[in-house]
Structures are given as structure tokens and as C-alpha cells.
Amino acid sequence: MDPIRNPYAPGAGQRPPELAGRDEQLRAFDVVLERVVKGRPERSLVLTGLRGVGKTVLLNALRSAAVRRRWGTGKLEARPDQALRRPLSSALHQAVRELGHPDPDSVDHVLGVIRAFAQREAGAGARLKDQWNPGIDAPVVRGRADSGDIEIDLVELFTDIGGLAADVGNGIAVFIDEMQDLGPDDVSALCAACHEISQSGLPVIVVGAGLPHLPAVLSASKSYSERLFHYQRIDRLAREAADRALTAPATEEDAAFTDEALTAMYAATGGYPYFIQAYGKAVWDRAPRSPITLDDVQVATPEAESELAVGFFGSRYERATPGEREYLRAMADVAAASEDPAVEAVPTADVAAVLGKKPQALSPARDALLKKGLIYSGERGRIAFTVPHFGRYLREHAG
Ligand SMILES: Nc1ncnc2c1ncn2[C@@H]1O[C@H](COP(=O)(O)OP(=O)(O)OP(=O)(O)O)[C@@H](O)[C@H]1O
Ligand SMILES: [Mg+2]
């Protein structure tokens, strides 16, 4: 069928033509926004899930929902080895602008505090040229959020922006993607700031997204984090939602799928959003006409698989060194040998046994893979792939 009209959108953070199966999260978020503005106690929201399940696009959709309610919003993507100050100041700068507070002096004051917060990264008394500014013209306001202790500074900063938002009867939402990559000091400061804000009832919320072990990262930092955040596991789509992700965009283009085609698509994709988009795209291009049939799905499958092998699996596999790849393949073998075919996490001791090494000898490889976000550890002594179907890919392609 006409490739120009192909509606499917495989790709990290690519907005899907139909955001299927996330109505519950969107509805719940609307309630959160309402409650926060009314000064009701609310927990910050954290979305967790494997690679490609749709955390980023849901985070973006939640942000749009906040924008529609005229909230001030800002977003950042955490990176390993990058401190929170700079990206957070940029995000908050944007959020304050979006808020549209009518009094320029109040706005300048808060922007001046954000600027001081940002500049503190270079250390006290840094030369002017080393002081980074997130594009703020307002003069620096000294004595707020610039102590150098990130925890104190963040609490003060959130308090000030919360006050500004409360003035206009609205809220500020900060969206943090890849939140598991924040450094330990930043995580703990963020928890403290959220804690403070929730107690004072100021209209500021943090909405995070990250890999499945993010709750463990947060609770290792502050034991009270479990009460602070509302965790939402973002998972593969149920059959009905997966079908809708394919059929709704097709209908827009006056095309359809047969029932057998949809069944085969679900078997192949397992309901994982990234796979749904990749298969949808390949099948559309291969099918001679609508409706798309089981035959079309079978013909297009090798193409979809090889696209995924390159774009989804291969790009990640390439980030691993030879030693790390050996570790990954051993994980895949352990998972394959397991009695439970749906097993996710495997014991690190078993991986070591497969490789014939002591677990300690393997910790550098394991730690590097954790840092690269290829595996995660949700519970002590066990590890799992962050990428769905990664074990299968390794066994089939990376032998
Ligand atoms: N609810 C959904 N319905 C249909 N397609 C979706 C849905 N959510 C995400 N997708 C599609 O899945 C793909 C992956 O989405 P996204 O990048 O948001 O995943 P992610 O969880 O952030 O992955 P990563 O952990 O790699 O950052 C995109 O192509 C997107 O269009
Ligand atoms: Mg993402």
C-alpha cells in the first residue's frame, strides 16, 4: 500500500498515530492536576517499564494534558554523569514562562533564583565566564537556592516556583525522563524537595519515567520515597489495545486488517508498542491492498524483524564490549533454560555458573551493563534485560 500514507511510527519517543491503552493513566493524571491545584495532598507520579513500552510518549502526553490546563511545564532527560542543576534550571525556566504570571517583578524574582541555582554548579566564587545561565535575562537573586547543597537549594527553588504558581491558581509540573540515570545526590535532593512540597501543599509536581528498577533507586535514597511517589508500571498492551493501535490509524487512511492478520500481529509483537509500530510499518508497505491479511503479515515478518534487529536490538547490543556481550548471552541462556518461559529476572549466580567464573569476577561487566541501561536489577541477586525479547534476539542473531 502507499508508503507515503503509512501511518505507523517506530522510533524512540515517536508520537504514535494512536496512543492506545493509556486512557487510565491519562484520566488519573487529570485527577492529580485538579487535586494539586486545589491544594489537596497528591503524590508525584513515576512511570516505569521496559525499553520501548511507551514511557516517553506517555510522559509527553501527560505534559500536553498539563499544558492544556495552562500549567507551567518543563521537561528534561537525565543522563549518567550529568548533574541535575543545569537541565533542571532550563526546564523550570520554561515552566515559569509557560505559567504566564501577570506580575513581571514576581516573575523576575523567581527567574533570578533559578539563575542563581544554575550558576551554583560552577562552585562559589566561580568566574563570570564559567557561570552557566539557562538564557535568563533577569538579574541573579542571591541567597536563595544557591548554597551549593543541592538538597537545600532544591527545596528553596521548588518553594519559590510553587509560590509563583499558587499566585495564579495554577501549577508547575516537571517531567523527568530516564530518571534512573540521576546521580545519588540529585535523587535524594529531589525526594527531599518533593517531600517538602507535598507537606506545604504547594502546586508543584514531578512526573518521572524510567526503567523498572527506578523505584528501587528512589527507595535506596530515601526510605519515605514509597509514600512520596505513585508508581505506575507501563507495560505491553492487552490484545484489544494492541489491535486499536493498528486499526485506528489504518481506518484514518481507509484501510483495514483481517482478524487473522491482527491475531498474527499480536503473536509477533507480544503487544509491545515499539514492535507494534515496527510490524505495522513493514506490513503496510508490503501489503498489496486493504484489507491487510495473514499472508501479508507473514510476508512482511522478515523485514520487520530485520528492522528491529538493527534499530532496536542491534544499536543496543553494539554498546556492549565483547566481555559484556558474553555476559548478555549467558543471561539469555539462563533465561532459556528456565522452567518458566516468561521468566524476566535471572539469578546472577546462575549467569556466573554458565560462564564458569566467580560472580565477583563478573561484577565489572555487570555494573557496566547496568550503567548502560541494558540490564537492571529489581531485586538483590537477580538481573533482567531492560529490552523486551532481547534474550530471543541474542540467541537468534548474536551467537
Ligand atoms: N500507547 C501506545 N500505543 C501505540 N504505540 C505506542 C504507544 N506507546 C508508545 N508507542 C510507540 O512505541 C515506540 C516506543 O515508545 P517510547 O519511545 O515512548 O518508549 P519508551 O518506553 O520511552 O522506550 P525507551 O525506554 O527506549 O526510552 C514508539 O514508536 C511509539 O510511537
Ligand atoms: Mg523513552
Side-chain angles (χ1 to χ4, degrees):
M1 304 199 289
D2 184 359
I4 294 172
R5 296 177 61 184
N6 192 326
Y8 303 106
Q14 286 279 336
R15 195 159 72 123
E18 167 82 9
L19 185 69
R22 306 292 185 226
D23 295 352
E24 201 185 303
Q25 283 89 358
L26 289 166
R27 241 192 330 268
F29 190 61
D30 269 336
V31 173
V32 169
L33 294 175
E34 285 275 351
R35 285 179 57 87
V36 169
V37 163
K38 292 194 159 63
R40 303 272 179 180
E42 252 314 323
R43 288 179 294 174
S44 281
L45 192 67
V46 170
L47 314 173
T48 66
L50 297 174
R51 296 274 170 221
V53 286
K55 300 178 296 295
T56 298
V57 300
L58 182 56
L59 202 63
N60 292 340
L62 299 182
R63 184 179 182 186
S64 302
V67 169
R68 277 196 300 277
R69 286 177 180 262
R70 305 190 176 283
W71 276 49
T73 71
K75 189 182 162 192
L76 65 103
E77 186 180 312
R79 301 219 168 87
D81 310 319
Q82 188 190 38
L84 180 62
R85 271 185 202 264
R86 282 190 187 194
L88 183 64
S89 344
S90 299
L92 289 176
H93 180 202
Q94 162 114 34
V96 165
R97 287 164 53 129
E98 277 184 16
L99 196 61
H101 191 288
D103 173 35
D105 290 342
S106 309
V107 173
D108 275 1
H109 178 82
V110 172
L111 289 178
V113 174
I114 296 177
R115 191 169 171 183
F117 173 80
Q119 291 189 345
R120 197 58 179 71
E121 187 181 70
R127 283 173 306 174
L128 202 58
K129 74 171 182 51
D130 296 329
Q131 292 183 352
W132 185 78
N133 178 3
I136 294 173
D137 295 331
V140 173
V141 174
R142 299 256 173 244
R144 285 292 281 172
D146 62 354
S147 76
D149 179 327
I150 182 74
E151 190 158 325
I152 295 172
D153 292 354
L154 213 50
V155 169
E156 290 183 353
L157 186 62
F158 275 19
T159 303
D160 286 5
I161 59 164
L164 195 72
D167 278 356
V168 293
N170 238 327
I172 281 188
V174 187
F175 297 83
I176 305 182
D177 206 354
E178 304 290 349
M179 193 166 168
Q180 76 282 342
D181 284 340
L182 288 176
D185 291 350
D186 288 342
V187 167
S188 123
L190 204 61
C191 290
C194 287
H195 192 45
E196 182 70 27
I197 281 295
S198 73
Q199 286 180 344
S200 56
L202 284 170
V204 177
I205 51 166
V206 171
V207 186
L211 293 173
H213 66 294
L214 177 53
V217 169
L218 295 171
S219 66
S221 171
K222 297 272 194 227
S223 56
Y224 57 72
S225 75
E226 277 138 56
R227 281 168 280 134
L228 212 53
F229 297 105
H230 178 65
Y231 296 116
Q232 286 250 352
R233 177 81 191 224
I234 305 305
D235 220 328
R236 60 215 194 95
L237 301 178
R239 173 70 199 264
E240 202 188 332
D243 286 358
R244 193 148 35 75
L246 290 165
T247 56
T251 308
E252 287 280 303
E253 302 293 336
D254 299 317
F257 287 79
T258 66
D259 284 344
E260 296 82 54
L262 288 174
T263 302
M265 289 290 263
Y266 196 70
T269 64
Y272 283 106
Y274 197 108
F275 301 156
I276 292 175
Q277 299 299 329
Y279 269 82
K281 180 134 198 257
V283 167
W284 178 285
D285 284 350
R286 279 310 195 102
R289 70 190 67 82
S290 175
I292 293 167
T293 66
L294 172 60
D295 211 34
D296 298 333
V297 176
Q298 282 161 352
V299 168
T301 291
E303 186 178 318
E305 303 251 292
S306 68
E307 278 290 325
L308 286 170
V310 176
F312 191 69
F313 298 115
S315 59
R316 299 199 154 92
Y317 185 63
E318 272 158 28
R319 273 187 247 154
T321 64
E324 292 160 19
R325 290 178 186 183
E326 228 179 279
Y327 194 89
L328 292 171
R329 284 195 296 268
M331 278 178 67
D333 289 344
V334 173
S338 155
E339 280 165 20
D340 172 8
V343 70
E344 283 187 3
V346 298
T348 49
D350 292 5
V351 178
V354 163
L355 292 169
K357 291 190 179 150
K358 287 211 171 69
Q360 302 90 294
L362 293 168
S363 20
R366 196 186 55 229
D367 290 349
L369 289 168
L370 286 167
K371 196 161 179 200
K372 288 177 184 174
L374 288 166
I375 62 174
Y376 72 96
S377 173
E379 46 184 321
R380 228 183 141 73
R382 296 179 86 89
I383 38 159
F385 295 120
T386 58
V387 180
H389 295 178
F390 204 46
R392 195 170 79 190
Y393 161 81
L394 290 170
R395 283 195 306 280
E396 285 171 9
H397 294 84

